[in-house]
Amino acid sequence: MKRVHSWVTYLQVAPLALVFLLFLVVPIATIVVVSFFDYNTTQIIPAFLIQNYEELLFSPVTWQTYLQTVEFAAITWILTLLIGFAVAYFLAFHVRSTTWQMVLFLVCTIPFWTSNVIRMISWIPFLGRNGIANSTLISLGLIKEPLEFLLFSDFAVVLAYVHLYTLFMVVPIFNSMMRIDRSLLEAALDAGASGWQTLRFVIVPLCKPGIAIGSIFVVTIVMGDFVTVRLMSGGQSASVGLMMLNAMSLLQYPAAAANAVVLLLLVLFTVAAMMRLVDIRKEL
Amino acid sequence: MTRRRGPAFWCLAAFFALFVLFLYGPTLTILILSFQGPSGGLTFPMNGVSLHWFGNLFEKQMVGDFFGSFERSMILGVATMVVTVIASFSAGLAFRNRFVGSGVIFYLAIASLIVPSILISLGIGLLYRVMGWDPAWYSSAFGAHLTWTLPFGLLIMFAVFNRFDRRFEEAARDLGASAWQTVRFVIVPILLPSLIGVGLFGFTLSYDEFARSLYTAGTFNTLPLEIYGMTTNVTTPVLYALGTVTTAVSFLVIGMAVASFTIVRRRRLRHGSDAGKAA
C-alpha cells in the first residue's frame, strides 16, 4: 500500500518468483525451443524445424494415444466427481458434530500424504490372478476361473486413478459445501422443496467452484500421468506421458519435446475452459 | 437441521464407510503381507509370520541402494520443507500489498500446479542437458520438488492471511514494535499451526514425489524412484516391507504435525494467550 516499503515486498516475494522462473518458466521455454531442434542417434542439433511436429501429428499412433488418454481422463473425472461429491455431501451435511466432521475429513485426506507408488502396488494382492478378489469370487461360486482382467488392464488403471485422486475432488467440494449458509437450506425446505430439489437447485450450483477446482486437479493429473498406466496396465495401455518416456529413452529429445508442447496446449485449453466457471482467488 | 436421521443418512454413511475401506484396505493388506513367512508369496495365504522380508530389506545387495535413497529422500524432504515454509510465508506477507507483477506470480503458481509433473521433469532434464550440467537430487530435483510444494504453500498462506486480523499487527506497531519484531513475536506465533501445515505438505509431497524426480535426480535415486525400479524386477514380499516402512515414515510425519498442533493449542490455553482467539 505504502510505496516506501515496496522494495521489502519485492524482497519477500523474490524466493518464490525465482524458483518459478528457474524451474518452471525456463524449463518450459527449453521444451518449446528443443521441440524445433534436429536430432540424430547420438545428439541434438540446434535448428528450426517443424518436422518433429509433422511426424507427431501425422502419425495415427499419436491420435490413438491422445484419444486413450482423454478417455482415461473423462472416465476418471466422472467417477471421482460422483464419489467425491457423495463423500463431501455426507461429511458436510450429515455429520453433525464438528469434531467428527474434522476427524472423518482427516481420515479422507491422510492417504494424500503417503506414497502414490506404494498405494498402486498395494492393489497387487487384491487384483492378482490368485488375489483376494478372485479367490473370494471363486469360493462364493460366482466364477470358476480367475478373472484375468482385474490386474494389468484398463480396469486396473481407472481403479488406481479413482483410488489415488478422488481426494482432490472431496477437499474442494467439501470446502465449498462448508461455506453454504445453512439458512438457505432451511429456506428451500420451508418453500416446499424436497431433499432432492434442494440438492439439485441449491447445493449443486453453490458447489460449482469446488467442483471446478477438483476437476482441474483430476483431469490435469490424469492427462500427464505415466506411472499409473505403466504399473497398473503392465505395459498394455498407452498414455501420452508414456509415449514421451519412450521417446526419451530412445534419446529422441526433440520428438519428446514436441509431444510435450502438444500435451501442454491440450491441458491449458482444458483448464481455461474450466476456469471460466470459477474465480480461484475468491475461493481461498 | 433437527430432523431425525432418515434412510438417506444411512445410505450415505454406508457409502462413506465403503469409501474409507477402499482408501485404506489395500494399504492394510500389504502391511499384513509384509510380515509373510520366508516361503510366502505376493498374495494370501500367509505362510507363517516373520520379519524375514524386513531383514531382507536391510541386506544391501538384495534391493539396490535402499539406505542411500532413503537418506537422500529424507534430506531432500527436509530441505524442501524448510524452503517451502519460509518462501510461502514470506510471499504470503508480500501478497497482502499490491505490487507490480503480483498477477503474473499468482498465475505462475497456478500454472506450476496444473502443468503435468512429467513436463516439469522433462523440461528441467532438457535444460540441464542443453546447458551441459549434470542433474542431481540436491539441485535439479530440489528445484523440481519446489515447483510442486510452493503453490500449495502459497495457496494455504493466502487462505490464512485472508482470515488474519490485521489489528494485532497494528496494535504491535502502536506499542512500538519494529517490523521484524511484529513478524517474529506477533504474526509467526499466531500463524504457527498453519506454518506447521505448510511444512507437512512440503515434506510429504517431496518425500513421495516420483514424476518430478524422474529426469532430475541424476545418478543417485531418491526413494520413490528406487521403489519404482523394484516393482519391475522384485517379485517377493520385500516390496511390501519397503511399502510398510515408507508408509510408516509418512504416518510418523503426519503424527508429528498433529502432535505439534495439539501442543501449540494446549500452550495457548494454558497461558491464556489472546493470540489463539484470532487463529
Side-chain angles (χ1 to χ4, degrees):
Chain A
M1 316 258 165
K2 277 174 275 172
R3 290 207 69 86
V4 194
H5 293 303
S6 69
W7 65 271
V8 175
T9 304
Y10 286 109
L11 205 65
Q12 282 168 336
V13 83
L16 185 90
L18 210 64
V19 169
F20 287 146
L21 183 71
L22 290 179
F23 294 102
L24 177 70
V25 178
V26 176
I28 296 293
T30 312
I31 292 183
V32 176
V33 172
V34 171
S35 72
F36 293 103
F37 278 14
D38 197 2
Y39 62 97
N40 57 32
T41 48
T42 53
Q43 56 179 344
I44 51 177
I45 304 148
F48 187 79
L49 301 171
I50 54 163
Q51 202 189 335
N52 296 317
Y53 288 97
E54 281 173 4
E55 278 170 9
L56 185 73
L57 296 175
F58 287 117
S59 153
V61 176
T62 308
W63 290 91
Q64 280 160 19
T65 312
Y66 270 84
L67 200 67
Q68 166 119 63
T69 299
V70 170
E71 204 180 294
F72 274 142
I75 296 171
T76 309
W77 176 66
I78 291 170
L79 289 175
T80 52
L81 177 58
L82 292 177
I83 298 172
F85 191 89
V87 167
Y89 181 77
F90 173 74
L91 285 179
F93 296 113
H94 282 278
V95 178
R96 288 172 193 169
S97 114
T98 325
T99 317
W100 270 109
Q101 221 165 29
M102 283 336 288
V103 168
L104 293 179
F105 180 72
L106 260 180
V107 165
C108 289
T109 43
I110 281 173
F112 173 71
W113 289 306
T114 63
S115 164
N116 277 1
V117 178
I118 293 296
R119 290 174 70 202
M120 282 179 234
I121 293 169
S122 64
W123 280 106
I124 296 173
F126 254 95
L127 301 178
R129 203 166 182 282
N130 304 312
I132 296 171
N134 271 327
S135 42
T136 311
L137 288 174
I138 289 175
S139 64
L140 286 175
L142 290 171
I143 51 168
K144 290 215 163 56
E145 292 290 305
L147 299 171
E148 296 287 348
F149 73 88
L150 291 178
L151 192 60
F152 303 139
S153 61
D154 289 355
F155 167 79
V157 174
V158 172
L159 183 79
Y161 281 145
V162 173
H163 184 225
L164 295 174
Y165 304 131
T166 300
L167 217 61
F168 284 104
M169 281 289 187
V170 174
V171 174
I173 295 178
F174 177 71
N175 183 37
S176 287
M177 282 177 176
M178 291 307 279
R179 289 157 166 240
I180 295 176
D181 187 347
R182 301 297 139 127
S183 55
L184 289 176
L185 305 182
E186 298 267 339
L189 201 69
D190 291 345
S194 66
W196 179 251
Q197 283 172 319
T198 313
L199 181 67
R200 169 73 188 77
F201 296 105
V202 181
I203 297 175
V204 170
L206 289 171
C207 285
K208 264 188 190 158
I211 293 173
I213 293 176
S215 306
I216 289 172
F217 264 110
V218 170
V219 169
T220 55
I221 290 176
V222 173
M223 289 217 285
D225 172 79
F226 63 95
V227 195
T228 314
V229 171
R230 178 182 269 182
L231 275 181
M232 299 307 284
S233 81
Q236 294 175 39
S237 307
S239 83
V240 179
L242 267 185
M243 203 176 156
M244 270 186 269
L245 225 65
N246 290 338
M248 288 292 280
S249 62
L250 295 170
L251 305 181
Q252 299 170 343
Y253 300 112
N259 204 345
V261 172
V262 175
L263 177 65
L264 183 62
L265 290 176
L266 179 65
V267 168
L268 289 181
F269 275 119
T270 314
V271 172
M274 290 178 179
M275 288 272 242
R276 293 180 70 105
L277 294 172
V278 52
D279 181 351
I280 287 185
R281 258 185 127 151
K282 269 195 205 148
E283 290 309 308
L284 297 165
Chain B
M1 305 295 280
T2 48
R3 285 171 298 158
R4 286 178 60 86
R5 288 183 160 156
F9 170 81
W10 296 108
C11 286
L12 282 165
F15 184 79
F16 183 81
L18 277 177
F19 177 70
V20 171
L21 188 69
F22 171 68
L23 274 187
Y24 288 88
T27 316
L28 284 176
T29 318
I30 65 158
L31 186 105
I32 296 168
L33 282 171
S34 61
F35 293 97
Q36 241 334 348
S39 58
L42 281 173
T43 51
F44 284 108
M46 296 284 284
N47 266 330
V49 176
S50 77
L51 292 173
H52 176 79
W53 302 107
F54 289 95
N56 217 326
L57 195 59
F58 295 103
E59 286 163 26
K60 199 166 186 174
Q61 63 279 19
M62 281 302 288
V63 286
D65 189 13
F66 165 68
F67 271 119
S69 58
F70 178 70
E71 193 184 355
R72 285 187 283 276
S73 274
M74 287 301 264
I75 297 172
L76 187 55
V78 170
T80 308
M81 174 181 83
V82 171
V83 174
T84 305
V85 171
I86 294 173
S88 323
F89 174 66
S90 139
L93 287 173
F95 267 92
R96 300 195 298 170
N97 304 316
R98 254 173 266 134
F99 62 93
V100 182
S102 63
V104 175
I105 293 175
F106 174 74
Y107 280 106
L108 277 181
I110 299 295
S112 201
L113 274 185
I114 61 171
V115 169
S117 302
I118 175 80
L119 296 191
I120 307 264
S121 197
L122 187 81
I124 297 176
L126 276 179
L127 174 68
Y128 272 60
R129 172 164 292 271
V130 170
M131 302 304 270
W133 303 331
D134 286 325
W137 60 274
Y138 49 80
S139 59
S140 42
F142 184 37
H145 286 196
L146 285 174
T147 61
W148 182 227
T149 57
L150 281 179
F152 280 104
L154 185 67
L155 293 181
I156 294 173
M157 287 329 291
F158 276 179
V160 168
F161 276 119
N162 277 349
R163 290 163 179 73
F164 181 75
D165 190 343
R166 288 196 88 155
R167 282 177 300 184
F168 287 116
E169 263 174 277
E170 283 155 20
R173 219 169 293 139
D174 290 346
L175 290 169
S178 69
W180 170 247
Q181 283 173 321
T182 312
V183 170
R184 169 68 186 81
F185 295 106
V186 178
I187 303 181
V188 169
I190 292 178
L191 297 187
L192 196 57
S194 312
L195 295 176
I196 296 171
V198 172
L200 176 65
F201 268 86
F203 180 83
T204 56
L205 292 185
S206 162
Y207 178 73
D208 297 325
E209 181 57 44
F210 176 79
R212 281 171 205 249
S213 312
L214 189 62
Y215 293 117
T216 58
T219 325
F220 296 104
N221 277 350
T222 60
L223 192 57
L225 293 174
E226 198 70 31
I227 297 172
Y228 181 72
M230 280 179 68
T231 59
T232 52
N233 53 31
V234 175
T235 49
T236 59
V238 73
L239 194 59
Y240 298 154
L242 184 50
T244 301
V245 171
T246 49
T247 309
V249 171
S250 299
F251 271 86
L252 197 70
V253 173
I254 299 168
M256 274 159 55
V258 173
S260 333
F261 287 141
T262 322
I263 291 169
V264 170
R265 185 179 297 163
R266 286 239 178 96
R267 187 177 289 169
R268 279 178 188 176
L269 285 176
R270 198 169 48 228
H271 292 297
S273 160
D274 57 357
K277 284 164 192 149

